[in-house]
Amino acid sequence: MIAKRGHYGAFLQEEWDLLQRMILLAHEKLSVPVTCKIRVFPEIDKTVKYAQMLEKAGCQLLTVHGRTKEQKGPLSGTASWEHIKAVRKAVTIPVFANGNIQCLQDVERCIRDTGVQGVMSAEGNLHNPALFEGRSPAVWELAEEYLDIVRQHPCPLSCVRAHLFKLWHHTLQVHRQLREELAKVKTLEGVAAVSQELKLRCQEDMSRQKEGEKPPGGLPFFHWICQPYFRPGPREGSKENGGARSKRALEEEEVGTDVLSKNKQKKQLRNPHKTFDPSLKPKYAKCDQCGNPKGNRCVFNLCRGCCKKRAFREAADCPGHGLLFKTKLEKSLAWKGARQLS
């Protein structure tokens, strides 16, 4: 929804003239090659024409994510390598594939089946950063390596926490109390301490493992081993939570019930008077141009950003936004006239 409101990403894929002009301009003005990454259309023919248009405009390397823009979250489904294969055959520039990559064998199979020159991975690589090495090491090995890198090259704690949630995903389904601790810690050393505790818990679980025992829950490996995460479909719900509903489902819970998402529960703890009743939420009129909330007293019925552009273009005033282009222009002309007379 952020990309849709912001008018970028896959939500530009129907505006071929705009994309063509953007890529052509970048191709002409930049000293580095222009690369593009796209999602597919449901129709293979349209996807191929789309790729050919980008190549003609100046794209010099194309990555094709084999899902449509509607395939996201619980509706992600399987990426279509058939679309990627068709694009690879139809263009002369290098093509990279994206989608369905959970292990090194998937990389090799994708290259073999589609003929692409390279492969990208997102979620698979986040859950197992050793994916392209063909390894599935103990989670703490990569968690410790990652934390060492963060100490050398600091970054926001939210990024560190997000990466560790991915790495420790399967273990946090077993040791749930540590999930809450990882979410609450406020320092890098606090995050490292939770990660260390998870390592100790895993080693205890390993020591209790019986010979011939298989991983529970249909996992390929035990939870302390880096491995892929398969997102449950919309009908499956969250099997990991014993059939509990997904976060999105909780957030869409009808008002009046006692069930709130974890995020909303935290907000309510900070502010006990907060309500999530949509009927009590303030209604904002939308800007006529971009859809953002408009200024209540704007003379053009626009948000501040759009209002500023129009007022500047038309040399007009908007007292509601404190924009006085017309007034300043008139004062400037009057001042210049007075100087000429003197």
Side-chain angles (χ1 to χ4, degrees):
M1 291 309 297
I2 295 170
K4 188 175 183 179
R5 284 196 301 269
H7 192 225
Y8 59 82
F11 291 93
L12 289 175
Q13 71 177 168
E14 296 288 356
E15 301 185 44
W16 291 20
D17 289 341
L18 173 61
L19 290 173
Q20 203 165 17
R21 294 199 307 274
M22 287 168 62
I23 294 163
L24 183 62
L25 181 66
H27 179 58
E28 289 175 347
K29 300 294 183 182
L30 297 176
S31 60
V32 294
V34 177
T35 68
C36 299
K37 184 170 184 285
I38 62 170
R39 284 189 174 233
V40 300
F41 291 95
E43 308 85 6
I44 290 180
D45 289 348
K46 188 173 182 180
T47 304
V48 166
K49 290 175 183 175
Y50 183 39
Q52 289 173 328
M53 177 274 292
L54 297 173
E55 179 185 27
K56 189 177 178 182
C59 172
Q60 290 164 279
L61 186 150
L62 181 66
T63 297
V64 183
H65 183 180
R67 293 183 175 90
T68 65
K69 70 177 187 293
E70 290 76 25
Q71 286 181 275
K72 58 187 184 293
L75 301 176
S76 289
T78 305
S80 169
W81 286 0
E82 288 302 314
H83 282 71
I84 300 171
K85 182 179 180 180
V87 169
R88 171 67 191 96
K89 287 182 177 178
V91 299
T92 58
I93 57 175
V95 175
F96 282 12
N98 179 216
N100 304 345
I101 305 300
Q102 299 288 356
C103 60
L104 187 60
Q105 289 74 20
D106 291 337
V107 175
E108 294 162 349
R109 187 165 57 88
C110 182
I111 292 173
R112 185 179 65 247
D113 292 356
T114 63
V116 293
Q117 285 90 347
V119 169
M120 286 188 180
S121 173
E123 285 208 355
N125 201 40
L126 287 169
H127 286 274
N128 179 12
L131 185 154
F132 286 100
E133 292 181 352
R135 298 191 303 125
S136 291
V139 176
W140 62 80
E141 178 187 326
L142 296 186
E144 288 171 356
E145 183 181 345
Y146 172 66
L147 288 169
D148 285 342
I149 293 170
V150 171
R151 290 186 184 99
Q152 294 173 42
H153 309 281
C155 66
L157 194 65
S158 58
C159 298
V160 180
R161 191 183 285 113
H163 274 296
L164 290 179
F165 267 122
K166 293 285 186 183
L167 281 169
W168 286 111
H169 173 83
H170 296 289
T171 297
L172 290 170
Q173 307 309 308
V174 178
H175 300 288
R176 291 177 178 276
Q177 68 278 18
L178 290 174
R179 181 183 187 86
E180 196 69 22
E181 287 187 33
L182 183 57
K184 287 180 178 178
V185 288
K186 303 295 184 184
T187 64
L188 180 61
E189 292 315 310
V191 169
V194 176
S195 188
Q196 179 65 20
E197 180 61 27
L198 282 163
K199 174 183 176 179
L200 296 174
R201 299 282 184 94
C202 287
Q203 290 173 338
E204 288 173 10
D205 292 344
M206 287 174 65
S207 67
R208 290 194 293 267
Q209 182 186 342
K210 298 173 183 175
E211 190 176 345
E213 184 181 352
K214 291 185 178 180
L219 294 177
F221 306 109
F222 285 95
H223 64 81
W224 54 82
I225 301 295
C226 285
Q227 57 193 294
Y229 165 65
F230 298 97
R231 191 190 295 274
R235 293 181 180 274
E236 295 175 52
S238 180
K239 292 178 182 176
E240 299 160 344
N241 294 328
R245 297 193 301 164
S246 67
K247 181 180 177 183
R248 177 64 55 86
L250 285 172
E251 288 178 350
E252 291 174 355
E253 185 76 38
E254 290 184 10
V255 176
T257 63
D258 296 327
V259 184
L260 290 173
S261 69
K262 284 186 177 179
N263 193 33
K264 287 180 179 176
Q265 288 173 25
K266 288 176 185 174
K267 288 180 179 178
Q268 211 162 46
L269 281 172
R270 290 195 295 267
N271 180 6
H273 302 293
K274 190 170 183 66
T275 176
F276 297 100
D277 186 344
S279 65
L280 300 176
K281 197 173 181 180
K283 300 291 190 295
Y284 298 105
K286 291 186 177 180
C287 169
D288 291 345
Q289 289 188 4
C290 71
N292 286 324
K294 73 168 187 177
N296 290 331
R297 294 181 293 166
C298 178
V299 296
F300 300 116
N301 289 321
L302 301 174
C303 67
R304 180 175 173 80
C306 295
C307 176
K308 188 174 182 180
K309 291 176 186 174
R310 181 168 172 180
F312 177 77
R313 189 169 61 247
E314 299 180 8
D317 286 352
C318 177
H321 279 126
L323 302 172
L324 304 172
F325 292 109
K326 181 181 178 181
T327 302
K328 289 179 179 178
L329 179 62
E330 289 173 350
K331 284 184 178 179
S332 175
L333 292 174
W335 180 77
K336 287 179 181 177
R339 284 196 65 185
Q340 287 173 357
L341 289 173
S342 62

